[in-house]
Amino acid sequence: KILRSVFFKKAQGEAGRFASNSNNLMDLAKQVLRKLQSGDFKGNMAEFSGNVQLLLRMVKAYASGNYKVLPWKSLVSIVAVLIYFVSPIDLIPDFLPVIGITDDIALVVWLMKTIGEDINKFSEWEKNEKTINIG
């Protein structure tokens, strides 16, 4: 239902424009990080927060040119979900306690399943990069 909502469709429409501009991607990443650090995503939300942070690292690595093998379709999907996440107006408004973030969680879960192979490739790349950089 969320995927067909006017709110997610709007985010998808904006995603291509964001994804094609590194500055826009970095700005979006900052907005997402601010929202994650707002306090609503602590405690029980550790797994969700970890998944969003992984997506942020993928976007940042792509935007910086360090990770170039992320398929365009996956990048646009990530960006659409992140735009939806930071949007103050979505299917279930975030100001509603607990229930307000269920749509965000559902979208991230859907995305993790949909682009799981790309996420695994990135995680492997990231692990190898850290090993190389550490020595």
Side-chain angles (χ1 to χ4, degrees):
K1 196 169 189 172
I2 299 164
L3 295 173
R4 292 187 301 268
S5 75
V6 67
F7 307 107
F8 188 66
K9 295 281 187 206
K10 184 176 184 235
Q12 285 178 309
E14 295 175 15
R17 183 173 48 86
F18 267 78
S20 62
N21 182 303
S22 293
N23 290 333
N24 286 346
L25 288 174
M26 290 301 197
D27 287 343
L28 177 61
K30 287 176 190 172
Q31 290 176 43
V32 170
L33 199 53
R34 271 194 301 273
K35 185 168 181 178
L36 274 181
Q37 293 172 341
S38 71
D40 296 337
F41 301 98
K42 304 230 177 1
N44 302 358
M45 303 300 293
E47 183 179 352
F48 172 77
S49 183
N51 287 338
V52 173
Q53 289 175 22
L54 172 63
L55 297 172
L56 282 178
R57 291 195 309 273
M58 290 176 77
V59 166
K60 287 179 177 179
Y62 181 88
S64 67
N66 292 327
Y67 187 73
K68 299 177 186 204
V69 297
L70 183 61
W72 180 253
K73 184 177 178 183
S74 294
L75 176 64
V76 171
S77 294
I78 293 168
V79 171
V81 168
L82 295 178
I83 289 171
Y84 184 91
F85 175 68
V86 298
S87 174
I89 300 171
D90 55 28
L91 189 62
I92 304 172
D94 292 345
F95 63 80
L96 296 173
V98 183
I99 196 166
I101 55 174
T102 56
D103 56 337
D104 298 321
I105 294 168
L107 271 178
V108 170
V109 168
W110 165 81
L111 182 64
M112 299 302 278
K113 287 179 182 175
T114 302
I115 65 165
E117 188 175 320
D118 294 325
I119 289 169
N120 290 338
K121 287 178 184 176
F122 173 78
S123 294
E124 190 64 32
W125 172 85
E126 188 177 45
K127 186 172 68 175
N128 289 335
E129 279 294 298
K130 287 180 182 173
T131 303
I132 291 168
N133 291 335
I134 291 172

mmCIF file of all heavy atoms in Angstrom, residues 2-23:
data_model
loop_
_atom_site.group_PDB
_atom_site.id
_atom_site.type_symbol
_atom_site.label_atom_id
_atom_site.label_comp_id
_atom_site.label_asym_id
_atom_site.label_seq_id
_atom_site.Cartn_x
_atom_site.Cartn_y
_atom_site.Cartn_z
ATOM 1 N N ILE A 2 1.935 1.235 0.784
ATOM 2 C CA ILE A 2 2.832 2.384 0.853
ATOM 3 C C ILE A 2 3.468 2.647 -0.505
ATOM 4 O O ILE A 2 3.591 3.789 -0.935
ATOM 5 C CB ILE A 2 3.938 2.161 1.912
ATOM 6 C CG1 ILE A 2 3.315 1.970 3.291
ATOM 7 C CG2 ILE A 2 4.917 3.325 1.938
ATOM 8 C CD1 ILE A 2 4.259 1.384 4.310
ATOM 9 N N LEU A 3 3.877 1.564 -1.186
ATOM 10 C CA LEU A 3 4.548 1.713 -2.480
ATOM 11 C C LEU A 3 3.651 2.386 -3.514
ATOM 12 O O LEU A 3 4.151 3.008 -4.446
ATOM 13 C CB LEU A 3 5.005 0.350 -3.003
ATOM 14 C CG LEU A 3 6.079 -0.345 -2.178
ATOM 15 C CD1 LEU A 3 6.328 -1.748 -2.701
ATOM 16 C CD2 LEU A 3 7.364 0.458 -2.171
ATOM 17 N N ARG A 4 2.343 2.255 -3.347
ATOM 18 C CA ARG A 4 1.399 2.858 -4.305
ATOM 19 C C ARG A 4 0.878 4.213 -3.828
ATOM 20 O O ARG A 4 0.093 4.835 -4.528
ATOM 21 C CB ARG A 4 0.241 1.897 -4.553
ATOM 22 C CG ARG A 4 0.658 0.636 -5.297
ATOM 23 C CD ARG A 4 -0.534 -0.226 -5.675
ATOM 24 N NE ARG A 4 -1.315 -0.650 -4.525
ATOM 25 C CZ ARG A 4 -1.134 -1.777 -3.850
ATOM 26 N NH1 ARG A 4 -0.185 -2.595 -4.205
ATOM 27 N NH2 ARG A 4 -1.886 -2.082 -2.830
ATOM 28 N N SER A 5 1.311 4.642 -2.659
ATOM 29 C CA SER A 5 0.807 5.898 -2.115
ATOM 30 C C SER A 5 1.325 7.086 -2.923
ATOM 31 O O SER A 5 2.398 7.032 -3.512
ATOM 32 C CB SER A 5 1.208 6.061 -0.638
ATOM 33 O OG SER A 5 2.579 6.410 -0.538
ATOM 34 N N VAL A 6 0.556 8.147 -2.924
ATOM 35 C CA VAL A 6 0.944 9.363 -3.618
ATOM 36 C C VAL A 6 2.241 9.922 -3.030
ATOM 37 O O VAL A 6 3.063 10.505 -3.739
ATOM 38 C CB VAL A 6 -0.197 10.406 -3.604
ATOM 39 C CG1 VAL A 6 -0.463 10.911 -2.194
ATOM 40 C CG2 VAL A 6 0.091 11.570 -4.527
ATOM 41 N N PHE A 7 2.461 9.703 -1.741
ATOM 42 C CA PHE A 7 3.647 10.211 -1.074
ATOM 43 C C PHE A 7 4.916 9.509 -1.559
ATOM 44 O O PHE A 7 5.930 10.149 -1.812
ATOM 45 C CB PHE A 7 3.500 10.074 0.451
ATOM 46 C CG PHE A 7 2.238 10.695 0.969
ATOM 47 C CD1 PHE A 7 1.184 9.914 1.386
ATOM 48 C CD2 PHE A 7 2.101 12.080 1.011
ATOM 49 C CE1 PHE A 7 0.008 10.490 1.858
ATOM 50 C CE2 PHE A 7 0.933 12.662 1.479
ATOM 51 C CZ PHE A 7 -0.121 11.871 1.896
ATOM 52 N N PHE A 8 4.837 8.168 -1.703
ATOM 53 C CA PHE A 8 6.005 7.440 -2.194
ATOM 54 C C PHE A 8 6.204 7.696 -3.678
ATOM 55 O O PHE A 8 7.334 7.804 -4.143
ATOM 56 C CB PHE A 8 5.905 5.941 -1.897
ATOM 57 C CG PHE A 8 7.182 5.211 -2.217
ATOM 58 C CD1 PHE A 8 8.335 5.476 -1.491
ATOM 59 C CD2 PHE A 8 7.237 4.292 -3.236
ATOM 60 C CE1 PHE A 8 9.534 4.818 -1.790
ATOM 61 C CE2 PHE A 8 8.419 3.637 -3.534
ATOM 62 C CZ PHE A 8 9.568 3.892 -2.815
ATOM 63 N N LYS A 9 5.130 7.809 -4.425
ATOM 64 C CA LYS A 9 5.241 8.126 -5.864
ATOM 65 C C LYS A 9 5.956 9.465 -6.051
ATOM 66 O O LYS A 9 6.782 9.612 -6.945
ATOM 67 C CB LYS A 9 3.861 8.168 -6.526
ATOM 68 C CG LYS A 9 3.139 6.842 -6.545
ATOM 69 C CD LYS A 9 3.654 5.963 -7.634
ATOM 70 C CE LYS A 9 2.800 4.717 -7.733
ATOM 71 N NZ LYS A 9 3.511 3.601 -8.296
ATOM 72 N N LYS A 10 5.641 10.429 -5.192
ATOM 73 C CA LYS A 10 6.302 11.734 -5.260
ATOM 74 C C LYS A 10 7.795 11.581 -4.967
ATOM 75 O O LYS A 10 8.642 12.164 -5.655
ATOM 76 C CB LYS A 10 5.666 12.705 -4.270
ATOM 77 C CG LYS A 10 6.241 14.102 -4.350
ATOM 78 C CD LYS A 10 5.522 15.064 -3.418
ATOM 79 C CE LYS A 10 6.084 16.451 -3.636
ATOM 80 N NZ LYS A 10 6.564 17.083 -2.458
ATOM 81 N N ALA A 11 8.129 10.793 -3.951
ATOM 82 C CA ALA A 11 9.532 10.551 -3.603
ATOM 83 C C ALA A 11 10.262 9.876 -4.762
ATOM 84 O O ALA A 11 11.397 10.231 -5.088
ATOM 85 C CB ALA A 11 9.630 9.700 -2.337
ATOM 86 N N GLN A 12 9.599 8.927 -5.417
ATOM 87 C CA GLN A 12 10.205 8.257 -6.567
ATOM 88 C C GLN A 12 10.462 9.248 -7.697
ATOM 89 O O GLN A 12 11.483 9.171 -8.372
ATOM 90 C CB GLN A 12 9.300 7.128 -7.078
ATOM 91 C CG GLN A 12 9.324 5.902 -6.205
ATOM 92 C CD GLN A 12 8.388 4.826 -6.713
ATOM 93 O OE1 GLN A 12 7.213 5.086 -6.967
ATOM 94 N NE2 GLN A 12 8.893 3.625 -6.863
ATOM 95 N N GLY A 13 9.530 10.173 -7.899
ATOM 96 C CA GLY A 13 9.688 11.173 -8.944
ATOM 97 C C GLY A 13 10.887 12.078 -8.695
ATOM 98 O O GLY A 13 11.569 12.497 -9.637
ATOM 99 N N GLU A 14 11.153 12.381 -7.453
ATOM 100 C CA GLU A 14 12.282 13.244 -7.091
ATOM 101 C C GLU A 14 13.603 12.472 -7.061
ATOM 102 O O GLU A 14 14.675 13.074 -7.169
ATOM 103 C CB GLU A 14 12.046 13.877 -5.723
ATOM 104 C CG GLU A 14 10.870 14.830 -5.678
ATOM 105 C CD GLU A 14 10.585 15.339 -4.269
ATOM 106 O OE1 GLU A 14 11.460 15.193 -3.385
ATOM 107 O OE2 GLU A 14 9.497 15.874 -4.057
ATOM 108 N N ALA A 15 13.540 11.177 -6.905
ATOM 109 C CA ALA A 15 14.736 10.365 -6.672
ATOM 110 C C ALA A 15 15.740 10.443 -7.823
ATOM 111 O O ALA A 15 16.947 10.552 -7.583
ATOM 112 C CB ALA A 15 14.349 8.914 -6.404
ATOM 113 N N GLY A 16 15.280 10.394 -9.046
ATOM 114 C CA GLY A 16 16.192 10.442 -10.189
ATOM 115 C C GLY A 16 16.987 11.741 -10.226
ATOM 116 O O GLY A 16 18.190 11.742 -10.484
ATOM 117 N N ARG A 17 16.315 12.844 -9.934
ATOM 118 C CA ARG A 17 16.976 14.153 -9.915
ATOM 119 C C ARG A 17 18.025 14.198 -8.799
ATOM 120 O O ARG A 17 19.138 14.668 -8.991
ATOM 121 C CB ARG A 17 15.932 15.246 -9.723
ATOM 122 C CG ARG A 17 16.477 16.651 -9.762
ATOM 123 C CD ARG A 17 15.359 17.686 -9.726
ATOM 124 N NE ARG A 17 14.359 17.461 -8.700
ATOM 125 C CZ ARG A 17 14.471 17.890 -7.443
ATOM 126 N NH1 ARG A 17 15.537 18.534 -7.049
ATOM 127 N NH2 ARG A 17 13.507 17.660 -6.572
ATOM 128 N N PHE A 18 17.676 13.677 -7.638
ATOM 129 C CA PHE A 18 18.614 13.647 -6.515
ATOM 130 C C PHE A 18 19.799 12.735 -6.828
ATOM 131 O O PHE A 18 20.941 13.088 -6.567
ATOM 132 C CB PHE A 18 17.913 13.138 -5.250
ATOM 133 C CG PHE A 18 17.340 14.214 -4.394
ATOM 134 C CD1 PHE A 18 16.149 14.825 -4.722
ATOM 135 C CD2 PHE A 18 17.997 14.626 -3.250
ATOM 136 C CE1 PHE A 18 15.618 15.818 -3.932
ATOM 137 C CE2 PHE A 18 17.480 15.620 -2.446
ATOM 138 C CZ PHE A 18 16.279 16.223 -2.796
ATOM 139 N N ALA A 19 19.501 11.563 -7.377
ATOM 140 C CA ALA A 19 20.532 10.551 -7.596
ATOM 141 C C ALA A 19 21.576 10.988 -8.621
ATOM 142 O O ALA A 19 22.719 10.532 -8.575
ATOM 143 C CB ALA A 19 19.893 9.235 -8.030
ATOM 144 N N SER A 20 21.209 11.876 -9.514
ATOM 145 C CA SER A 20 22.148 12.290 -10.556
ATOM 146 C C SER A 20 23.038 13.460 -10.128
ATOM 147 O O SER A 20 23.829 13.953 -10.917
ATOM 148 C CB SER A 20 21.386 12.649 -11.834
ATOM 149 O OG SER A 20 20.524 13.746 -11.596
ATOM 150 N N ASN A 21 22.933 13.888 -8.874
ATOM 151 C CA ASN A 21 23.710 15.025 -8.403
ATOM 152 C C ASN A 21 24.341 14.685 -7.054
ATOM 153 O O ASN A 21 23.631 14.500 -6.058
ATOM 154 C CB ASN A 21 22.795 16.255 -8.288
ATOM 155 C CG ASN A 21 23.528 17.491 -7.853
ATOM 156 O OD1 ASN A 21 24.164 17.516 -6.808
ATOM 157 N ND2 ASN A 21 23.424 18.543 -8.651
ATOM 158 N N SER A 22 25.659 14.629 -7.030
ATOM 159 C CA SER A 22 26.373 14.238 -5.802
ATOM 160 C C SER A 22 26.084 15.172 -4.635
ATOM 161 O O SER A 22 25.962 14.722 -3.492
ATOM 162 C CB SER A 22 27.886 14.207 -6.053
ATOM 163 O OG SER A 22 28.187 13.173 -6.946
ATOM 164 N N ASN A 23 25.972 16.463 -4.900
ATOM 165 C CA ASN A 23 25.673 17.413 -3.820
ATOM 166 C C ASN A 23 24.304 17.146 -3.219
ATOM 167 O O ASN A 23 24.137 17.202 -1.996
ATOM 168 C CB ASN A 23 25.764 18.856 -4.317
ATOM 169 C CG ASN A 23 27.184 19.275 -4.621
ATOM 170 O OD1 ASN A 23 28.130 18.750 -4.046
ATOM 171 N ND2 ASN A 23 27.339 20.201 -5.545
#
